[in-house]
Amino acid sequence: MSLSRKDIDEIMHLLEASRFDRLSLEMDGLKLELVREGGARGRGASTSPTRAEAVPAAMPAPTPAPTAPSRREPVEGRAQAEGLVEIKSPLLGVFYRAPKPGEPPFVEVGSRVEADTVIGIIEVMKLMNSARAGVAGEVVQILGENGEMVEHGEALMLVRPD
Amino acid sequence: MGIRRILIANRGEIAVRIIRSCERLGIETVLCVSEADRHSLGARMATKAVCIGPASPAKSYLSVETVVQAAMGYGCDAIHPGYGFLSERAELASLCETEGVIFIGPTAAQIEAVGDKLRARSEAIAAEVPVVPGGPVGTPEEARRLAEEIGAPLLIKAVGGGGGRGMKLVEDLADLHATMDMASAEAGAAFGDARVYLERYVREGRHIEVQLLGDGAGRVVHLGERDCSVQRRYQKLVEETPAPRLPPATRDKLLAAAVRFAKRLHYRGAGTVEFLYDVGRDEFYFLEMNARIQVEHPVTEMVSGVDLIAEQIAIAGGEGLRLRQEEITLSGAAIECRINAEDPARDFMPSPGTVTHAEWPKGEGIRVDTHIVDGAMVPPFYDSMIAKIIAHGPDRASALQRLCNSLGMTRIEGIATNLDFQRRILADPDFAEGGIDTGFLARLLEKEPA
């Protein structure tokens, strides 16, 4: 069972028309959470009236601004200065830090990783691809935002190598 | 609702060309770049550039899913595919249709209809557009019978081929079977489709094509023809409009035939119907339809004053066809030279590298479409075309004079180019006279190699 973009749009419209602020839907291992702006707070800034936060199996939340300032330059500076290694996204897609929403992230700051440790998921058109550390060491900073678009080669995390 | 943000799934000069129209229209652009193109001119000009993959085209510019994911993820209403890469992949148009992203181009069904040569040919026949005598063949016996009907010389063409790839000439019908076996095996390996068909070979032919715009609801206009007969191994090098020395009655018939073909398909967007003009017989035959913007579209823009990219966007955005046939006026003549990063002295070997210095011509009636500035990289992974220099004038002679002058003003340092070779073509008396056939360039090279 999976939801199409059209299904989600329809659900979003239903929520908008209702007097509820939040909708949680769970079916066959798929979980969809919709939060109306001004409803439950503390989920980060939202720019559309209704914001979809879906698990990887559903749809990525649309990222509104294409002109977000690049995070790359200062990161490269820090990585170089402190001898840190960047874990780069192997693909362009939507970055997820956890296997499913509500579950703990694959890694946190302070986690130890090996080269083949899965550190996140990159979704490309509903296909889930594992992102691996590619380096052994300790995670010192997490740069990729959960549920946001990342470019091919964008730094997701900084690692202090062994 | 109009289009506000376009994802450009292409690179090089056409990416820059699309961005320029978008800037004029107040539309934001998100440009897909591979790792090799991160610092390209287009990446700097676009509202945002996003890296979609490594340099290898298969993992970046040819990845349908990545391109659509990027469009959706960065909030783009539409995708412009440019030419080449994914521009004629029905799969992209179809995924856009499913996901609610506007594809700036024809429908997936139309791409499929013109992408299969046999189907396109039967559509042409149905639209009463003349086709080259010939047809599909299965068994050797069928081939023998059809070949005798067509007569030698004839061409064996791959159903899945195009752009001059997958063709073989048979001068003597005794060689038919051997050549067919080879053509079929090659077609299977190159295109994953071993089907071939036979076609009359035209000794003295010219490549003449018609620029069209369709609204997708059955209304189609043409913007005149282009003559692209200066070709080396089926790759176009010089294009011009109008086609020199084409009898006016033949031109009218050719334009009407192209419009008929596109109308039958209810074609949507910009497209080009290509014809082979048989000089000896004063007849023309349908070759194929290209369901995209073409490299050589600027010559049409110069004589018509129409921004074809802007019209593509308007049609895709639901504004329909903004031009009526009687409103389109074509004035003067325009000629375009393709400047390639290749070395004519070394059998036109590609010459990638860094352009240390580039100076492009300026002047009345001159247009340059390029992504090459000082320090630009020409990566080895993609097409070698780095610029198009276009000249417009009140008549062909003045356009040609302006083009010759502007090639003289052009400097490209750091890599080898075909600039001098292009000057030689333009200076040739046969070319200056106009109306040369597709064998012109091969004869020129035979006389005196580059």
Side-chain angles (χ1 to χ4, degrees):
Chain A
M1 178 73 210
S2 72
L3 290 177
S4 70
R5 166 132 217 157
K6 219 175 130 229
D7 294 332
I8 292 181
D9 282 346
E10 247 183 74
I11 295 170
M12 280 168 74
H13 282 123
L14 286 174
L15 177 63
E16 264 183 56
S18 78
R19 49 195 181 79
F20 296 103
D21 286 328
R22 184 186 189 109
L23 178 143
S24 284
L25 176 69
E26 262 190 278
M27 45 202 265
D28 293 323
L30 181 143
K31 195 166 156 193
L32 178 74
E33 280 200 283
L34 294 174
V35 182
R36 185 206 294 273
E37 190 172 53
R41 287 279 174 192
R43 286 203 157 256
S46 167
T47 46
S48 50
T50 310
R51 178 166 185 231
E53 271 208 8
V55 296
M59 292 297 301
T63 308
T67 44
S70 171
R71 282 178 298 233
R72 293 197 55 80
E73 285 80 339
V75 167
E76 268 168 19
R78 178 173 178 196
Q80 269 176 10
E82 299 180 28
L84 303 178
V85 174
E86 291 179 354
I87 301 178
K88 292 180 176 181
S89 175
L91 295 161
L92 172 140
V94 185
F95 175 55
Y96 295 102
R97 287 193 50 206
K100 284 179 190 170
E103 287 194 9
F106 290 104
V107 293
E108 292 281 13
V109 170
S111 297
R112 248 211 74 79
V113 292
E114 300 301 328
D116 62 352
T117 305
V118 173
I119 57 102
I121 289 171
I122 311 289
E123 184 208 334
V124 187
M125 297 311 290
K126 292 162 205 129
L127 271 177
M128 303 303 148
N129 306 275
S130 323
R132 291 176 197 275
V135 59
E138 182 197 340
V139 176
V140 296
Q141 193 180 349
I142 293 174
L143 304 161
E145 296 266 351
N146 188 53
E148 297 287 325
M149 287 292 291
V150 291
E151 294 178 40
H152 166 84
E154 184 169 333
L156 299 173
M157 295 179 188
L158 294 182
V159 171
R160 179 167 291 116
D162 294 343
Chain B
M1 191 197 75
I3 293 172
R4 285 165 306 174
R5 190 182 294 161
I6 291 176
L7 183 100
I8 301 170
N10 214 301
R11 62 177 303 281
E13 67 85 18
I14 193 64
V16 171
R17 163 74 191 86
I18 297 165
I19 293 168
R20 285 198 203 284
S21 279
C22 289
E23 280 175 348
R24 207 171 50 72
L25 297 167
I27 296 171
E28 293 181 324
T29 49
V30 176
L31 178 64
C32 292
V33 295
S34 74
E35 272 177 353
D37 287 328
R38 271 184 198 277
H39 305 291
S40 63
L41 178 62
R44 276 178 273 155
M45 286 174 64
T47 316
K48 183 180 174 71
V50 293
C51 185
I52 57 164
S56 157
K59 289 179 181 154
S60 49
Y61 296 110
L62 290 171
S63 169
V64 173
E65 287 77 16
T66 307
V67 162
V68 177
Q69 177 68 67
M72 293 168 68
Y74 293 105
C76 300
D77 318 297
I79 296 179
H80 198 305
Y83 53 68
F85 293 126
L86 298 175
S87 59
E88 287 173 288
R89 284 268 287 273
E91 197 191 341
L92 174 61
S94 153
L95 189 57
C96 283
E97 284 163 19
T98 315
E99 299 296 340
V101 177
I102 297 168
F103 178 73
I104 302 177
T107 63
Q110 287 164 350
I111 295 175
E112 273 168 1
V114 301
D116 181 316
K117 293 207 160 192
L118 289 183
R119 229 185 112 189
R121 187 183 158 94
S122 53
E123 293 286 353
I125 293 166
E128 294 180 7
V129 172
V131 297
V132 191
V137 284
T139 65
E141 193 38 51
E142 265 173 44
R144 163 72 50 203
R145 238 180 296 134
L146 185 64
E148 273 162 11
E149 222 177 280
I150 300 168
L154 57 80
L155 283 174
I156 302 172
K157 290 185 161 189
V159 171
R165 300 191 309 152
M167 286 199 221
K168 290 220 176 293
L169 177 66
V170 179
E171 294 269 15
D172 186 336
L173 291 189
D175 303 331
L176 182 70
H177 287 317
T179 316
M180 253 188 71
D181 286 347
M182 195 158 58
S184 179
E186 280 183 20
F191 315 114
D193 183 350
R195 290 178 296 161
V196 293
Y197 61 100
L198 305 185
E199 210 172 80
R200 172 185 284 170
Y201 177 65
V202 176
R203 278 231 184 266
E204 194 186 347
R206 289 169 59 185
H207 175 114
I208 301 179
E209 59 186 31
V210 179
Q211 176 66 56
L212 301 168
L213 288 170
D215 67 355
R219 210 157 72 77
V220 173
V221 296
H222 73 78
L223 290 97
E225 82 283 2
R226 294 185 287 257
D227 189 323
C228 315
S229 301
V230 180
Q231 300 184 0
R232 181 181 164 270
R233 297 188 181 164
Y234 303 104
Q235 299 300 314
K236 299 168 185 169
L237 275 170
V238 179
E239 299 102 338
E240 63 181 300
T241 185
R245 295 171 190 276
L246 184 66
T250 309
R251 168 180 290 120
D252 290 345
K253 278 197 273 180
L254 185 108
L255 296 172
V259 169
R260 246 183 356 256
F261 182 82
K263 269 190 174 164
R264 188 186 146 74
L265 294 175
H266 281 217
Y267 189 79
R268 184 184 75 192
T272 301
V273 178
E274 297 189 334
F275 294 100
L276 177 64
Y277 174 59
D278 190 330
V279 179
R281 296 183 179 91
D282 187 24
E283 274 179 36
F284 59 86
Y285 316 114
F286 171 87
L287 285 179
E288 63 179 4
M289 180 168 194
N290 295 320
R292 54 169 155 82
I293 194 78
Q294 305 253 116
V295 172
E296 59 271 26
H297 76 276
V299 291
T300 300
E301 293 186 325
M302 293 295 261
V303 299
S304 67
V306 174
D307 179 338
L308 288 168
I309 302 284
E311 292 312 311
Q312 282 189 298
I313 294 170
I315 293 165
E319 286 181 58
L321 207 44
R322 301 187 293 190
L323 295 159
R324 280 200 299 257
Q325 190 64 62
E326 57 273 22
E327 292 168 338
I328 299 167
T329 50
L330 308 171
S331 76
I335 313 176
E336 169 185 286
C337 269
R338 297 189 189 195
I339 306 303
N340 296 335
E342 60 186 20
D343 189 351
R346 295 174 59 210
D347 196 26
F348 297 88
M349 276 269 286
S351 62
T354 302
V355 176
T356 50
H357 181 56
E359 261 175 68
W360 298 109
K362 285 195 186 84
E364 197 187 343
I366 301 300
R367 165 174 166 179
V368 179
D369 281 21
T370 187
H371 59 296
I372 298 299
V373 288
D374 286 4
M377 279 289 302
V378 180
F381 316 102
Y382 316 112
D383 190 85
S384 65
M385 195 184 72
I386 57 167
K388 302 179 303 205
I389 301 176
I390 307 109
H392 180 219
D395 51 48
R396 186 175 187 268
S398 49
L400 182 56
Q401 189 56 53
R402 282 177 179 171
L403 188 56
C404 290
N405 293 346
S406 44
L407 292 197
M409 287 187 262
T410 307
R411 300 271 175 283
I412 305 159
E413 289 160 21
I415 56 166
T417 71
N418 65 346
L419 193 59
D420 287 342
F421 183 62
Q422 284 286 21
R423 295 171 70 172
R424 197 178 137 201
I425 294 172
L426 300 186
D428 185 273
D430 288 345
F431 181 80
E433 200 184 309
I436 49 93
D437 73 313
T438 51
F440 159 77
L441 207 53
R443 291 193 298 271
L444 188 82
L445 282 166
E446 215 165 276
K447 237 178 358 198
E448 190 192 330

